[in-house]
């Protein structure tokens, strides 16, 4: 933006580029809807009312709101590259995201962050980033990289970096780990907010976490938890993703006193939800349907995240801000009919407009170093009772259950009659195929096996199955693709989805990925899986920073104790 040009146009001494007339303007500052015209110059709002314009567009009495902002998202979880992600969410009215690339950073380190930054160039939306704070998430797993404060420092000068991303290592904050303290100090020195990630943290430990300057949290699953954090000055990101949906539980907390400190985020959304439901717009519609004032719902998806992240040129329709706009007809059912990015129409009626740039994908190095011949999923029966991970539908949290072991020929085996399925996490980085083994209940598998290289956060290969041979075949199929999903029955691959970009993302259109994912889910359900998206749930069973019990390539992790615990009790 040339400041002199905007000022000259704003005072009416030069024509604007575009005048949007007969608009019902959603003002997120006053909470009013104002009838009028919007003047745009050089992609920014110049003013309101009658202006001489190169082009005039009649909005026809429809509403115009600021473009929506997702306050916390992992683009990698869409399983598509940045270009395809943008092509999917822009027609939904999303004109900015704050993405945390810690998925690809765990695989490729600084090269992964650089890949995402380069991929963001030329997109029809603002792809902003928060720097991953926990790579790896813990020392209880093998990751593809380790990023210390010195590795992050060069990125803070990049204009797309707006925050330090979710600090999952809350014990490191509470007990003042040196590297964690260095990362927080780095963010402070660059005046960037520090995002939190502290499910269930309360009392004095939460006080210590907040005292460190942690300013947000997207992991609240209970209203009481959200309120406790809000009262300490922590902004709440209300999450509605694919695996974790927290709006219903947190809805009672949203009121006239708290709404200014709350915002929407998707965190992780799979292609089928993006295409079938939408993005931030879907959360806004759900909140309004539950009785939330539409302007409050819009504010939580625009000005609130903009203010939190210090994004001064977006989030509102006001002079000097980018003309990132969403046009819709019904406040009770907000659906983007037109989307403008920097004053240029980029989407209409759910589709990206012809001629809107689609940058080519950026190349990434291979990241799969696994020889399937070394795989061994046998578990000698070393006791009568075992710790079992309880998977919970639509949640990333799990429970720990103590159950009787099923033994055969001296080995602990799966017991499908009790829904106790063997699972394993295999190191994909070192070539050693280190394997952590355990059991899970709640997936519902009756036979076969399913495997994935999307296993948060280190993204080793995770597999669950009723048969060791099928588990080996599923892992081998994933490794051969360079990453992805596979479902196997009796040694035969029923379905697969290649994710050649770091084992996390496809280079295909999102519609193709959705079709492949539908095939994966159908195959998993044919094996007995009962969850709506078993692969999303599977991927979080390896995340050792979300309670209660998780599995990494180094073994079972008791998240509350933050230590590896034996399988047998």
């Amino acid at each position: 933006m040339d400041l002199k040009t905007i000022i000259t146009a704003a005072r009416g001494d030069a024509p604007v580029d575009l005048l949007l007339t007969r608009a019902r303007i959603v003002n997120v500052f006053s909470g009013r809807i104002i009838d009028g015209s919007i003047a745009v110059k050089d992609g920014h709002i110049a003013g309101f009312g009658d202006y001489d314009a190169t082009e005039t567009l009649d909005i026809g009495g429809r509403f115009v709101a600021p473009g929506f902002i997702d306050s916390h998202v992992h683009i990698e979880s869409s399983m598509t590259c940045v270009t395809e992600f943008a092509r999917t969410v822009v027609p939904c009215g999303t004109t900015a995201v704050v993405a945390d690339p810690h998925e690809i950073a765990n695989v490729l380190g600084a090269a992964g962050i650089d890949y995402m930054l380069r991929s963001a160039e030329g997109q029809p939306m603002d792809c902003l980033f928060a720097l991953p704070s926990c790579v790896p998430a813990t020392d209880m797993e093998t990751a593809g990289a380790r990023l210390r404060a010195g590795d992050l420092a060069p990125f803070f000068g990049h204009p797309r970096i707006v925050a330090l991303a979710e600090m999952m290592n809350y014990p490191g904050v509470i007990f003042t780990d040196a590297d964690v303290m260095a990362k927080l100090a780095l963010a402070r020195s660059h005046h960037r907010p520090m995002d939190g990630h502290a499910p269930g943290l309360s009392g004095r430990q939460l006080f210590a976490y907040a005292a460190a300057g942690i300013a947000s949290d997207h992991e609240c699953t209970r209203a009481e938890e959200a309120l406790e954090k809000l009262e300490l000055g922590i902004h709440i990101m209300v999450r509605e993703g694919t695996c974790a949906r927290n709006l219903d539980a947190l809805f009672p907390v949203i009121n006239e006193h708290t709404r200014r400190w709350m915002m929407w985020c998707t965190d992780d959304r799979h292609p089928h939800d993006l295409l079938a439901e939408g993005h931030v717009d879907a959360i806004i519609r759900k909140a309004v349907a539950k009785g939330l004032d539409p302007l409050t719902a819009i504010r939580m998806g625009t000005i609130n995240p903009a203010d939190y992240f210090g994004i001064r040129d977006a989030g509102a329709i006001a002079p000097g801000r980018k003309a990132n706009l969403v046009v819709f007809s019904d406040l009770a059912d907000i659906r983007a009919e037109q989307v403008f990015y920097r004053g240029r129409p980029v989407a209409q009626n759910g589709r990206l407009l012809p001629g809107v740039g689609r940058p080519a994908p950026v190349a990434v190095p291979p990241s799969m170093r696994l020889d399937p011949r070394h795989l061994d999923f046998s578990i000698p029966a070393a006791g009568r009772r075992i710790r079992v991970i309880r998977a919970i539908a639509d949640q990333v949290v799990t429970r720990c259950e103590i159950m009787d072991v099923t033994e055969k020929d001296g080995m602990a085996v799966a017991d499908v009659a009790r829904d106790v399925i063997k699972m394993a996490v295999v190191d994909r980085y070192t070539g050693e195929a280190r394997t952590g083994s355990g059991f899970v209940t709640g997936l519902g598998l009756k036979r076969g096996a399913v495997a994935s290289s999307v296993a948060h956060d280190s993204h080793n290969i995770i597999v669950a199955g009723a048969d060791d041979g099928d588990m080996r075949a599923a892992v081998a199929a994933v490794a051969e693709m360079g990453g992805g999903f596979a479902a196997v029955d009796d040694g035969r691959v029923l379905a697969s989805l290649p994710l050649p970009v770091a084992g996390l993302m496809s280079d295909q259109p999102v519609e193709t990925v959705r079709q492949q994912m539908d095939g994966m889910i159908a195959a998993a359900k044919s094996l007995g899986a009962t969850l709506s998206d078993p692969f999303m749930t599977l991927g979080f069973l390896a995340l050792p920073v979300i309670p209660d019990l998780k599995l990494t390539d180094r073994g079972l992790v008791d998240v509350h104790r933050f230590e590896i615990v034996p399988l047998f009790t």
Side-chain angles (χ1 to χ4, degrees):
M1 179 181 68
D2 180 77
L3 195 58
K4 184 176 180 179
T5 299
I6 292 292
I7 293 172
T8 302
R11 69 174 185 249
D13 288 342
V16 297
D17 300 324
L18 175 66
L19 188 67
L20 303 177
T21 62
R22 289 211 299 153
R24 304 189 68 190
I25 305 164
V26 176
N27 190 296
V28 295
F29 299 118
S30 68
R32 294 200 305 149
I33 294 173
I34 303 167
D35 293 337
S37 299
I38 305 170
V40 178
K41 181 68 175 181
D42 284 358
H44 292 72
I45 306 297
F48 304 98
D50 293 331
Y51 278 83
D52 289 334
T54 304
E55 180 184 359
T56 299
L57 181 62
D58 185 352
I59 296 300
R62 293 177 294 168
F63 297 96
V64 182
F68 304 138
I69 302 172
D70 190 338
S71 63
H72 177 74
V73 61
H74 303 288
I75 293 176
E76 303 96 312
S77 291
S78 71
M79 293 182 287
T80 63
C81 61
V82 176
T83 293
E84 285 299 316
F85 175 79
R87 188 174 71 86
T88 306
V89 303
V90 168
C92 299
T94 300
T95 56
V97 298
V98 178
D100 174 4
H102 79 203
E103 316 293 1
I104 197 167
N106 269 283
V107 177
L108 297 173
I113 300 174
D114 182 66
Y115 162 82
M116 297 299 279
L117 288 169
R118 288 186 292 126
S119 296
E121 297 298 327
Q123 300 294 347
M125 64 180 299
D126 291 329
C127 291
L128 307 173
F129 295 94
L131 284 175
S133 65
C134 300
V135 176
T138 73
D139 290 324
M140 294 180 286
E141 56 192 327
T142 301
R146 179 176 294 276
L147 294 179
R148 300 192 183 277
D151 301 309
L152 298 179
F155 289 104
F156 270 102
H158 197 287
R160 293 188 185 274
I161 301 300
V162 297
L164 183 70
E166 51 184 321
M167 179 51 75
M168 294 178 288
N169 186 4
Y170 55 82
V173 176
I174 296 166
F175 298 105
T176 64
D177 173 85
D179 187 56
V180 171
M181 292 297 102
K183 290 173 180 174
L184 297 182
L186 188 62
R188 282 179 177 273
S189 69
H190 286 86
H191 308 289
R192 300 290 195 275
M194 298 173 287
D195 289 344
H197 174 117
L201 202 63
S202 183
R204 290 187 175 181
Q205 288 197 331
L206 180 59
F207 300 162
Y209 195 61
I214 302 298
S216 72
D217 188 276
H218 62 275
E219 290 292 341
C220 294
T221 59
R222 299 176 299 107
E224 297 81 5
E225 178 184 4
L227 187 58
E228 182 182 7
K229 290 173 178 174
L230 273 167
E231 290 180 339
L232 300 182
I234 295 174
H235 294 68
I236 300 301
M237 298 171 177
V238 180
R239 174 176 55 192
E240 279 286 298
T242 291
C243 188
R245 298 174 183 261
N246 307 126
L247 174 57
D248 287 342
L250 303 187
F251 189 77
V253 181
I254 307 172
N255 58 49
E256 62 179 326
H257 303 294
T258 62
R259 62 190 179 190
R260 191 68 184 90
W261 318 111
M262 303 182 74
M263 58 197 101
W264 309 123
C265 80
T266 60
D267 201 2
D268 300 281
R269 268 210 171 200
H270 269 190
H272 55 276
D273 283 340
L274 288 172
L275 291 172
E277 298 178 9
H279 191 226
V280 178
D281 62 318
I283 311 177
I284 291 173
R285 283 194 298 274
K286 180 176 179 179
V288 172
K290 288 178 67 66
L292 189 64
D293 169 59
L295 267 68
T296 295
I298 291 170
R299 283 165 157 167
M300 289 174 63
T302 56
I303 192 62
N304 287 11
D307 280 355
Y308 171 75
F309 287 108
I311 305 169
R312 302 304 180 199
D313 60 354
I317 303 175
R321 305 232 178 188
K322 291 175 184 173
N324 297 345
L325 308 170
V326 183
V327 180
F328 57 93
S329 295
D330 189 352
L331 268 178
D333 186 28
I334 297 172
R335 296 178 187 274
E337 295 164 5
Q338 284 180 289
V339 182
F340 292 80
Y341 174 64
R342 299 194 179 194
R344 183 168 62 100
V346 291
Q348 187 164 335
N349 297 327
R351 293 186 178 276
L352 215 61
L353 290 171
V356 174
R358 293 174 60 182
V362 176
V364 294
S367 59
M368 189 67 63
R369 301 174 186 89
L370 173 65
D371 186 346
R373 293 176 297 180
H374 299 320
L375 296 174
D376 181 6
F377 298 124
S378 61
I379 303 175
R384 295 182 178 181
R385 305 273 282 172
I386 54 174
R387 291 178 172 88
V388 178
I389 297 173
R390 162 71 69 177
I392 301 172
D394 298 329
Q395 296 294 337
V396 296
V397 296
T398 61
R399 297 287 179 263
C400 175
E401 297 195 4
I402 307 299
M403 302 179 72
D404 292 332
V405 69
T406 298
E407 182 180 338
K408 181 178 181 181
D409 300 327
M411 296 292 174
V413 297
D415 188 342
V416 296
R418 293 190 297 146
D419 186 25
V420 179
I421 304 300
K422 186 180 287 186
M423 66 177 292
V425 176
V426 183
D427 153 38
R428 66 181 266 200
Y429 298 109
T430 67
E432 298 176 2
R434 184 209 302 261
T435 301
S437 298
F439 292 87
V440 61
T441 185
L443 293 183
L445 288 180
K446 301 297 184 185
R447 62 183 193 279
V450 292
S452 167
S453 60
V454 179
H456 302 278
D457 277 335
S458 290
H459 301 294
N460 290 298
I461 300 181
I462 189 167
V463 59
D467 175 82
D468 286 9
D470 284 342
M471 290 172 69
R472 285 192 295 271
V475 172
V478 170
E480 185 177 353
M481 291 185 291
F485 300 151
V488 170
D489 188 22
D490 197 21
R492 180 172 62 92
V493 177
L494 301 180
S496 62
L497 194 170
L499 298 174
V501 182
L504 299 172
M505 294 178 282
S506 172
D507 54 4
Q508 298 299 306
V510 66
E511 292 85 0
T512 300
V513 178
R514 178 187 62 179
Q515 291 170 3
Q516 292 173 326
M517 194 68 222
D518 287 345
M520 289 306 311
I521 292 174
K525 290 188 175 181
S526 76
L527 300 176
T530 53
L531 300 175
S532 58
D533 190 336
F535 288 94
M536 179 65 90
T537 299
L538 181 69
F540 280 102
L541 297 182
L543 181 56
V545 293
I546 298 284
D548 287 338
L549 187 66
K550 297 297 169 70
L551 180 68
T552 76
D553 65 303
R554 302 192 183 193
L556 283 172
V557 177
D558 182 322
V559 180
H560 291 294
R561 291 160 58 181
F562 222 61
E563 64 184 29
I564 294 175
V565 294
L567 172 61
F568 292 89
T569 64

